[in-house]
Amino acid sequence: MFDDTYFKSAYQKAYDSITPDSACLDRLKEYKENRVRGRRLYQVMRPVVVAAGVLVLISAITLPVAARSIPGVYETIARIAPGLAEYILPTQVSCTSQGITMQVEAIHVNEKNAEVIVSFSDEVGSEENLIRGAVDLYDSYHLQSYNASSNVGGCSFLEYNLEADKAYFKIDVWTDGSFQQSKLSFRTHQLLTNWLEEKRWLDLNELVMNPAMKEVERNGGGGMPGTPLYEQYLGDSNRMIQVLDLQKIDESMKKSLTITGIGYADGILRVQCCRGDFSEADRHLEMYIIDTKGNERHNDLSIGWQEEVNGERYLMDEFLFEVDEIDLANIQLYGIFHIRDGSIKGDWEVTFSIEN
């Protein structure tokens, strides 16, 4: 009979027994003495067979908390993420792939929750200028320990430091298990290196009264629950909905954020956009209206679905505003276009310890 308790105990002991060999320790010593920015520690793999599995050690470094001994880093983290200033990793924990270096700058782990500050910079000596401002991780990050793997998370861009050539992110992750501080692995596999946010006014002269409509199956949306508009379009039983049918969705929209129609009927102003292919880009639109009194407001409802073009799926959104027809001639409409593309796929991963 398989003994689950014994297996977990044996697996844990084997996992914890993995240590760098003498060659790796020599490189660590040389790195600490030289302090050369950007030098990678070549990974040393020492397989340990446990049952039918093999564990690969990328790097394991015990990192005492000594944040204030690194004043430059400390000042930056204290400014952009003050809550994590005391959790800076005093030893460089980094990995370089595709000409970009990822570095875990600070981490705070509290059993099921973890906060991570991570930076991305151009590889030292590289002639390419890949990191030149804000970047996006596109939800490709992951934190893992022996008995826990992050399954819920969120990240936010903090700043781009021109002097250091670093783009900083704060990442919050949660797990159903419990993160162990003895060994943690953080990885990401995709960056979006082009970042555009632009305000554009929409021409209401292109508005179509009583436009053609079509039925689609929604897969998302947002609005105020309980309102008649919300229940009509986003109620649990309403999967098939009516949307504008004013422009054919085609391949020319694959890599762009395109307005595909503006229409009005039954007291509802509609703005439709195509977000294109979303496998290697994140494009979305924020819509606002300025009414006859000069008040600015967000759309009352948004609807999301997908269109198929030559076997590929394109994201679609439609934004709804409740507007009296008599006011149409006096309102203004604009959108904030968010475009994040320039996908670079790599294999950024570091393994480290944060035990005191």
Side-chain angles (χ1 to χ4, degrees):
M1 181 179 295
F2 179 75
D3 188 339
D4 180 68
T5 301
Y6 174 78
F7 174 79
K8 287 182 177 179
S9 176
Y11 189 94
Q12 172 79 75
K13 290 178 180 178
Y15 187 94
D16 289 337
S17 70
I18 305 174
T19 58
D21 62 17
S22 59
C24 179
L25 291 175
D26 289 341
R27 285 193 292 271
L28 282 171
K29 181 179 179 181
E30 179 185 356
Y31 170 80
K32 291 181 179 179
E33 291 174 350
N34 293 333
R35 298 290 185 181
V36 178
R37 179 179 180 271
R39 175 176 296 177
R40 290 186 67 188
L41 298 178
Y42 290 95
Q43 300 171 352
V44 178
M45 296 184 292
R46 183 183 177 185
V48 177
V49 179
V50 182
V54 178
L55 297 175
V56 179
L57 175 65
I58 298 176
S59 61
I61 312 165
T62 300
L63 305 170
V65 177
R68 294 185 183 275
S69 66
I70 321 170
V73 175
Y74 181 84
E75 291 171 2
T76 300
I77 302 301
R79 176 170 47 81
I80 63 178
L84 292 178
E86 299 299 332
Y87 299 97
I88 295 172
L89 303 185
T91 301
Q92 189 178 64
V93 180
S94 64
C95 175
T96 299
S97 177
Q98 302 299 314
I100 295 174
T101 297
M102 178 191 79
Q103 181 168 339
V104 176
E105 304 278 1
I107 182 168
H108 179 215
V109 175
N110 182 16
E111 295 186 355
K112 295 182 178 296
N113 307 314
E115 300 173 278
V116 186
I117 299 294
V118 61
S119 69
F120 294 88
S121 59
D122 290 305
E123 180 182 7
V124 172
S126 174
E127 296 182 357
E128 294 188 84
N129 185 22
L130 301 173
I131 304 299
R132 54 193 177 274
V135 296
D136 194 310
L137 304 189
Y138 205 32
D139 296 331
S140 68
Y141 52 87
H142 190 71
L143 181 68
Q144 186 172 4
S145 68
Y146 164 72
N147 62 347
S149 181
S150 59
N151 51 28
V152 180
C155 73
S156 57
F157 173 72
L158 296 175
E159 74 165 25
Y160 171 69
N161 186 307
L162 179 60
E163 182 179 357
D165 182 34
K166 284 188 175 185
Y168 290 91
F169 269 87
K170 182 176 184 294
I171 298 165
D172 296 273
V173 290
W174 298 265
T175 181
D176 293 332
S178 179
F179 289 121
Q180 287 187 322
Q181 299 189 18
S182 58
K183 279 196 177 112
L184 290 162
S185 292
F186 180 82
R187 67 177 182 269
T188 189
H189 62 79
Q190 182 173 202
L191 296 178
L192 304 181
T193 57
N194 295 330
W195 182 302
L196 172 68
E197 291 185 7
E198 183 179 31
K199 179 178 179 179
R200 302 178 191 172
W201 294 95
L202 276 63
D203 187 358
L204 282 172
N205 290 325
E206 299 179 1
L207 182 149
V208 177
M209 298 296 292
N210 300 311
M213 306 290 286
K214 65 180 179 181
E215 189 174 64
V216 299
E217 183 177 4
R218 67 172 173 84
N219 63 2
M224 182 63 70
T227 63
L229 199 63
Y230 183 95
E231 294 303 321
Q232 178 182 353
Y233 289 95
L234 299 179
D236 292 338
S237 60
N238 301 327
R239 299 298 302 179
M240 305 304 295
I241 57 172
Q242 294 288 317
V243 298
L244 295 176
D245 188 16
L246 296 177
Q247 185 174 351
K248 178 179 174 58
I249 310 304
D250 59 36
E251 288 183 336
S252 67
M253 304 173 188
K254 179 177 180 178
K255 296 183 179 182
S256 63
L257 182 57
T258 309
I259 300 297
T260 52
I262 305 175
Y264 182 86
D266 302 322
I268 303 297
L269 173 65
R270 297 168 177 264
V271 180
Q272 185 185 99
C273 76
C274 175
R275 298 165 59 185
D277 171 66
F278 50 93
S279 62
E280 297 183 351
D282 180 17
R283 309 176 190 93
H284 62 276
L285 183 63
E286 289 183 74
M287 286 303 309
Y288 295 91
I289 194 173
I290 299 178
D291 63 24
T292 55
K293 297 180 181 180
N295 298 316
E296 181 179 275
R297 62 185 175 96
H298 197 256
N299 53 275
D300 299 301
L301 194 80
S302 64
I303 303 164
W305 72 98
Q306 296 181 15
E307 298 272 358
E308 185 170 329
V309 179
N310 295 331
E312 295 184 294
R313 308 295 289 179
Y314 292 4
L315 283 178
M316 302 291 299
D317 284 329
E318 193 157 292
F319 305 92
L320 281 61
F321 297 87
E322 293 184 285
V323 179
D324 291 333
E325 184 173 349
I326 195 173
D327 294 327
L328 286 176
N330 299 311
I331 64 173
Q332 294 177 292
L333 188 66
Y334 75 87
I336 299 178
F337 288 65
H338 300 267
I339 301 175
R340 296 162 191 174
D341 53 18
S343 172
I344 297 178
K345 293 183 179 179
D347 183 21
W348 297 278
E349 181 171 356
V350 291
T351 300
F352 56 94
S353 168
I354 57 173
E355 286 187 318
N356 290 335

